[in-house]
Amino acid sequence: MSREERREKDKDLFETVEEVFDTRTVLNVVELMRRKVIKRLAGTISAGKESRIYLGYTYDDKPVAVKIYLTSSAEFKKGILKYIAGDPRFEGFSPRNTRELIYAWARKEFRNLTRMYEAGVRVPKPLGLYNNVLVMEFIGEDRHRYPLLVEAYEELEPEELEIVYNKILEEIEKIVCKARLVHGDLSEYNIMVTPDLDVVIIDVSQAVDVNHPNALDLLKRDLERIEEFFRDKIGLNNTRDSKEVLEGLMKCLEKRKGE
């Protein structure tokens, strides 16, 4: 790539994100481009208080999701400290400012994605990370992401919902028993449903190690939310009691501990 082409590419990037992110964040995206992780950004997929996700493309023109964490949200800072404090992977970590904390949060999501992906959990494949910019597999087609469960359920028949429900329980089991993590914020808002009724778990930055002091409470909450959504909101028959599911997961953890 010539110097002029690089300058033009960087100019386009700044015009894309400068209204939302500070210069340092934009330079972080540029660094991922220079490392050949991504080639360009092509528009916003979703936006929230904590981050924005952009559609990006690799140098072989494959679509990817580029998640950029906001580095100036004081409210966000308060919410994430409880997920880092007590995590054995961040023992001794003491951020000096909000930016360092957000960088650690992005690193945490990348590690969680990697751990889950390697354990066979259906999550977006992690592809790269630089400070507060995370690049991962794009879950969708034709530039459109697949719907979240909360968006898809009304279009599904009862037997299809039962398939989705059982697949979610299977993914939870893999997260806990194989990856030895707890999602910590699982709900209909961070589970994607594919056209063939597969499920993809997203937003795993808050996931904690099973040895985290709050892991059991977070796991109970995850299971209760899933049960309440399918049993109470949808009215699906044949849902399993969350306490019963929890007992099975605890037995699985005890069994693996002894291996």
Side-chain angles (χ1 to χ4, degrees):
M1 179 185 296
S2 69
R3 182 176 298 178
E4 184 60 34
E5 288 173 327
R6 182 175 295 152
R7 185 181 298 115
E8 190 64 28
K9 182 184 71 174
D10 291 352
K11 176 176 177 290
D12 290 343
L13 171 67
F14 272 87
E15 290 176 351
T16 301
V17 298
E18 67 179 346
E19 294 182 1
V20 180
F21 301 106
D22 57 24
T23 300
R24 193 177 302 184
T25 293
V26 178
L27 292 174
N28 290 338
V29 179
V30 171
E31 180 60 28
L32 283 167
M33 290 177 167
R34 290 176 177 163
R35 293 183 181 191
K36 305 293 186 181
V37 178
I38 54 173
K39 182 178 181 180
R40 62 188 174 92
L41 298 183
T44 307
I45 297 174
S46 63
K49 294 179 181 178
E50 304 169 356
S51 65
R52 289 205 176 190
I53 300 180
Y54 290 87
L55 175 65
Y57 286 90
T58 62
Y59 276 79
D60 54 357
D61 287 323
K62 291 182 179 179
V64 292
V66 182
K67 186 171 185 176
I68 306 180
Y69 298 84
L70 297 171
T71 58
S72 58
S73 173
E75 182 180 348
F76 183 31
K77 178 180 177 180
K78 293 177 183 177
I80 67 180
L81 280 173
K82 64 182 179 181
Y83 292 100
I84 289 181
D87 191 319
R89 297 170 297 172
F90 288 85
E91 187 174 354
F93 174 68
S94 180
R96 292 172 294 180
N97 51 53
T98 300
R99 185 179 296 276
E100 282 192 5
L101 179 62
I102 300 306
Y103 286 0
W105 192 246
R107 194 161 64 248
K108 188 170 185 282
E109 176 146 35
F110 184 81
R111 290 181 182 180
N112 287 338
L113 280 173
T114 301
R115 195 157 150 182
M116 290 183 189
Y117 185 82
E118 291 177 349
V121 182
R122 186 65 176 98
V123 293
K125 181 180 181 180
L127 300 172
L129 172 74
Y130 189 74
N131 290 333
N132 62 318
V133 184
L134 169 63
V135 183
M136 54 191 160
E137 175 189 5
F138 175 67
I139 307 297
E141 54 187 301
D142 297 328
R143 295 171 58 96
H144 298 287
R145 66 167 175 79
Y146 289 140
L148 303 175
L149 175 58
V150 71
E151 300 164 336
Y153 79 94
E154 291 184 329
E155 304 298 323
L156 300 176
E157 298 297 328
E159 58 271 20
E160 293 176 317
L161 287 167
E162 189 167 349
I163 291 172
V164 170
Y165 169 73
N166 286 319
K167 286 191 174 182
I168 291 171
L169 294 186
E170 289 173 5
E171 295 305 314
I172 293 174
E173 182 176 359
K174 286 188 282 186
I175 291 171
V176 175
C177 298
K178 294 184 177 180
R180 297 186 65 79
L181 292 168
V182 173
H183 186 284
D185 192 32
L186 195 61
S187 74
E188 63 271 25
Y189 292 93
N190 45 38
I191 299 170
M192 301 180 85
V193 181
T194 70
D196 59 356
L197 300 182
D198 199 3
V199 298
V200 182
I201 308 298
I202 62 171
D203 293 338
V204 302
S205 53
Q206 72 293 317
V208 299
D209 187 272
V210 293
N211 293 315
H212 189 283
N214 296 327
L216 182 58
D217 289 337
L218 292 171
L219 179 56
K220 287 178 181 177
R221 187 177 68 178
D222 283 352
L223 297 174
E224 288 169 357
R225 281 179 174 176
I226 297 302
E227 181 187 7
E228 287 169 4
F229 178 75
F230 280 94
R231 184 196 63 198
D232 300 336
K233 184 167 185 175
I234 296 179
L236 184 69
N237 295 322
N238 302 322
T239 57
R240 294 174 59 191
D241 183 85
S242 61
K243 293 180 181 178
E244 175 194 330
V245 178
L246 180 62
E247 288 176 4
L249 294 174
M250 297 307 294
K251 288 178 181 178
C252 171
L253 284 175
E254 286 299 321
K255 181 180 179 181
R256 288 186 63 92
K257 189 184 295 185
E259 292 177 352

